[in-house]
Amino acid sequence: MPPTITFVRHAQGFHNLNLANHQIRDPLLTDLGKIQCQNLAQSMPHLSEVDLVVASPLKRTIYTALYSFPEKCKQLGIIGLPDVQETSDLPCDTGSDRPDIEKEFADKGVKLDLALLDDDWHSKKGRYSPDRAAVEGRAKDARRWLKARKEQHIIVVTHGAVLHYLTEDWSDSGRFQGTGWANTEHRTYTFDPKSGDNASLIETQESLQSRQPEKPLSGAEKTNLQNTAGIDNKKLSKV
């Protein structure tokens, strides 16, 4: 049986404070971001059922997982998944070299599995470029990787813009700068059994009701938002 997936947008990073901070490479969380993690730890439903923690390999997403779910991370470790890194090629959305990440988290008491990171994972070229087709391709690959896991409830900590590609849901993408997800917002999904190789996701009723969604967009409206986001990927930081 395919797993249930809970996506989480990372807590506030320094790049979220102003446009100038978009030039910071792989920024850390702010003090408010750390408080947001504490609040998330208290509000996350079904946390006891989680049997895998996955994060984009940027420092803010790894720290969000670690600060929000410390016991789970110490018990299960964290797997870094490069396919769920953010969409833009701005410095704030560009990850660090693997040795730097390992050094950053070496004394945090958690096993950080970075085996999926190749030398080009933060190049923002090829499959990791901000081009819409590339982002759609790696989002699909990420869904397929998650669907194939043996675990039954997976937390994935990632970024605001790429979450729309992962979920294929653009209904609220204008709420914040380039995303409909607030910092540390979480939504839960199951895999659509009719989607085949695309491994599409369906948000659970419990998750939908918890955020009181607005009236769903029409197909034409979704396509228009998706096309707009595909252009903006090249110009703006989305998280």
Side-chain angles (χ1 to χ4, degrees):
M1 181 177 178
T4 296
I5 309 296
T6 295
F7 287 114
V8 180
R9 185 190 174 200
H10 65 78
Q12 185 190 70
F14 282 98
H15 66 302
N16 293 134
L17 298 178
N18 54 60
L19 290 175
N21 284 1
H22 288 187
Q23 298 305 311
I24 300 173
R25 174 89 177 252
D26 199 4
L28 300 176
L29 299 181
T30 64
D31 288 341
L32 175 59
K34 295 174 183 178
I35 294 173
Q36 290 172 337
C37 291
Q38 295 173 2
N39 294 335
L40 175 60
Q42 298 173 4
S43 65
M44 173 69 75
H46 310 296
L47 184 57
S48 63
E49 301 171 11
V50 170
D51 50 3
L52 182 66
V53 179
V54 175
S56 160
L58 278 81
K59 293 175 183 177
R60 62 184 178 270
T61 38
I62 298 173
Y63 270 121
T64 298
L66 184 59
Y67 290 152
S68 301
F69 319 114
E71 296 306 317
K72 281 293 180 180
C73 290
K74 290 177 182 177
Q75 174 191 357
L76 304 171
I78 303 172
I79 294 179
L81 183 59
D83 280 347
V84 299
Q85 66 181 279
E86 188 53 306
T87 59
S88 91
D89 56 1
L90 288 169
C92 64
D93 291 332
T94 303
S96 301
D97 292 337
R98 178 171 170 173
D100 292 338
I101 304 171
E102 292 171 338
K103 181 179 179 180
E104 177 76 25
F105 294 94
D107 62 348
K108 299 302 185 290
V110 61
K111 179 182 178 182
L112 181 58
D113 184 350
L114 300 177
L116 295 175
L117 275 63
D118 58 27
D119 292 341
D120 296 326
W121 84 271
H122 53 8
S123 67
K124 297 298 181 177
K125 298 178 180 178
R127 68 178 286 105
Y128 301 119
S129 80
D131 291 338
R132 174 178 164 182
V135 178
E136 288 177 340
R138 59 183 174 85
K140 176 181 176 180
D141 286 345
R143 292 194 303 270
R144 293 174 63 190
W145 183 88
L146 291 166
K147 185 178 181 180
R149 297 292 305 190
K150 68 181 188 306
E151 294 84 4
Q152 288 303 295
H153 196 143
I154 303 173
I155 285 177
V156 180
V157 184
T158 181
H159 308 265
V162 76
L163 276 161
H164 292 287
Y165 287 91
L166 290 165
T167 62
E168 301 174 291
D169 179 4
W170 304 85
S171 59
D172 57 358
S173 60
R175 285 175 63 207
F176 306 104
Q177 183 182 352
T179 184
W181 293 63
N183 289 123
T184 66
E185 181 174 347
H186 54 85
R187 305 178 193 178
T188 299
Y189 299 79
T190 57
F191 284 94
D192 181 353
K194 300 179 182 179
S195 63
D197 185 61
N198 196 56
S200 295
L201 294 157
I202 301 173
E203 189 171 3
T204 66
Q205 284 301 308
E206 179 184 15
S207 179
L208 280 167
Q209 291 171 4
S210 71
R211 62 188 184 91
Q212 299 179 342
E214 299 177 356
K215 180 181 177 181
L217 296 179
S218 68
E221 289 171 323
K222 290 181 180 179
T223 299
N224 182 58
L225 282 171
Q226 187 174 11
N227 288 339
T228 301
I231 295 171
D232 287 349
N233 282 343
K234 300 179 181 180
K235 298 187 296 183
L236 294 174
S237 171
K238 298 300 185 291
V239 289

